[in-house]
């Protein structure tokens, strides 16, 4: 081949790669819109909390971090979740996690530890982790159930704790050591998992 011909072929291949890259980025940007649509609406959270803020700065266009909120009158459940994986795989996990929490929390009758136990079991079921499936991903999360009438906050965490600031004092509440989901250890033994409420 002549240098001129090889240079021309290289230019054609470069344009193909650029076109394919643009298609992928366009697709991922649209996936971001879908992922953002599952996040709680500010108005809903404002109707429950008089003073709050959300700091949400994803590393990638789509990813495995999300926050979740549901309220039932004077009782609300709120979670901050970090799924295994980044980018598109993390995005799939976050969509699944949000939908599973929606399924689990249908009323104000569940405690924070019960919600985590149900979430753990659902992740294991959906990803077929109980039969040794190759997808052993899970979620690290902090979950609180707030009862405004009782002035009570119940916390449960899977690897993620919380800080409570009250009158300039900071209290730290640690989480249980295991994530929600990911049912097998490196030795392929099923891990028994229980979550506590604090």
């Amino acid at each position: 081949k002549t240098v001129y011909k090889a240079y021309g072929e290289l230019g054609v291949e470069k344009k193909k790669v650029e076109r394919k890259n643009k298609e992928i980025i366009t697709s991922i940007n649209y996936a971001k819109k879908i992922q953002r649509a599952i996040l709680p609406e500010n108005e809903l959270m404002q109707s429950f909390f008089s003073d709050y803020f959300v700091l949400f700065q994803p590393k990638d266009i789509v990813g495995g971090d999300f926050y979740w909120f549901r309220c039932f009158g004077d009782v609300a459940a709120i979670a901050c979740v970090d799924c295994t994986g980044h980018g598109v795989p993390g995005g799939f996990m976050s969509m699944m996690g949000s939908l599973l929490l929606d399924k689990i929390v249908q009323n104000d009758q569940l405690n924070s530890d019960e919600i985590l136990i149900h979430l753990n079991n659902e992740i294991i079921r959906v990803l077929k982790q109980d039969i040794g499936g190759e997808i052993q991903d899970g979620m690290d999360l902090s979950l609180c159930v707030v009862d405004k009438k009782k002035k009570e906050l119940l916390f449960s965490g899977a690897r993620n704790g919380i800080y409570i600031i009250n009158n300039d004092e900071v209290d730290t509440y640690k989480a249980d050591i295991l994530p929600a989901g990911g049912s097998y250890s490196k030795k392929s033994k099923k891990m028994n998992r229980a979550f506590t409420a604090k």
Side-chain angles (χ1 to χ4, degrees):
K1 291 182 183 179
T2 65
V3 173
Y4 181 76
K5 187 175 181 182
Y7 183 76
E9 290 174 358
L10 185 61
V12 169
E13 292 303 313
K14 181 182 176 207
K15 285 181 182 178
K16 284 181 185 177
V17 170
E18 287 172 346
R19 186 176 68 247
K20 185 53 72 179
N21 188 51
K22 186 177 178 183
E23 290 172 6
I24 292 168
I25 295 297
T26 299
S27 179
I28 292 173
N29 278 325
Y30 192 76
K32 174 184 176 179
K33 290 180 183 178
I34 295 170
Q35 189 177 31
R36 291 282 175 134
I38 69 165
L39 296 175
E41 296 174 3
N42 280 333
E43 296 78 17
L44 183 63
M45 294 177 74
Q46 283 173 348
S47 69
F48 189 83
F49 297 109
S50 59
D51 186 20
Y52 83 99
F53 71 93
V54 174
L55 178 62
F56 183 65
Q57 296 178 317
K59 177 182 167 250
D60 298 312
I61 298 171
V62 294
D65 299 331
F66 71 97
Y67 56 99
W68 176 89
F69 176 79
R70 287 292 170 273
C71 69
F72 307 92
D74 288 329
V75 178
I78 187 165
C80 181
V81 188
D82 179 4
C83 301
T84 304
H86 299 285
V88 174
F92 274 96
M93 287 292 293
S94 70
M95 294 293 291
M96 180 187 73
S98 181
L99 294 171
L100 288 176
L101 284 167
D102 283 344
K103 175 186 173 189
I104 294 163
V105 182
Q106 295 290 322
N107 55 53
D108 63 356
Q109 300 304 308
L110 293 175
N111 290 328
S112 56
D113 56 332
E114 294 170 330
I115 295 169
L116 283 192
I117 290 165
H118 287 301
L119 179 62
N120 175 68
N121 293 340
E122 284 295 294
I123 293 168
I124 290 169
R125 180 189 65 79
V126 170
L127 296 180
K128 300 177 177 66
Q129 294 174 340
D130 55 340
I131 56 173
E134 66 179 66
I135 301 171
Q136 292 300 315
D137 296 297
M139 299 175 192
D140 300 343
L141 68 146
S142 300
L143 187 136
C144 295
V145 173
V146 181
D147 189 324
K148 288 199 297 189
K149 203 169 191 178
K150 294 180 182 176
K151 295 187 177 180
E152 180 180 80
L153 182 142
L154 287 176
F155 159 74
S156 293
R159 295 177 53 111
N160 281 357
I162 62 167
Y163 297 100
I164 305 261
I165 301 169
N166 189 13
N167 297 327
D168 295 330
E169 289 185 23
V170 179
D171 292 319
T172 303
Y173 292 88
K174 293 188 177 182
D176 291 304
I177 197 164
L178 294 172
S183 66
Y184 288 80
S185 69
K186 291 179 182 176
K187 296 178 182 177
S188 295
K189 291 182 180 176
K190 189 172 182 180
M191 292 187 279
N192 186 18
R193 208 166 306 204
F195 297 99
T196 54
K198 299 173 183 171

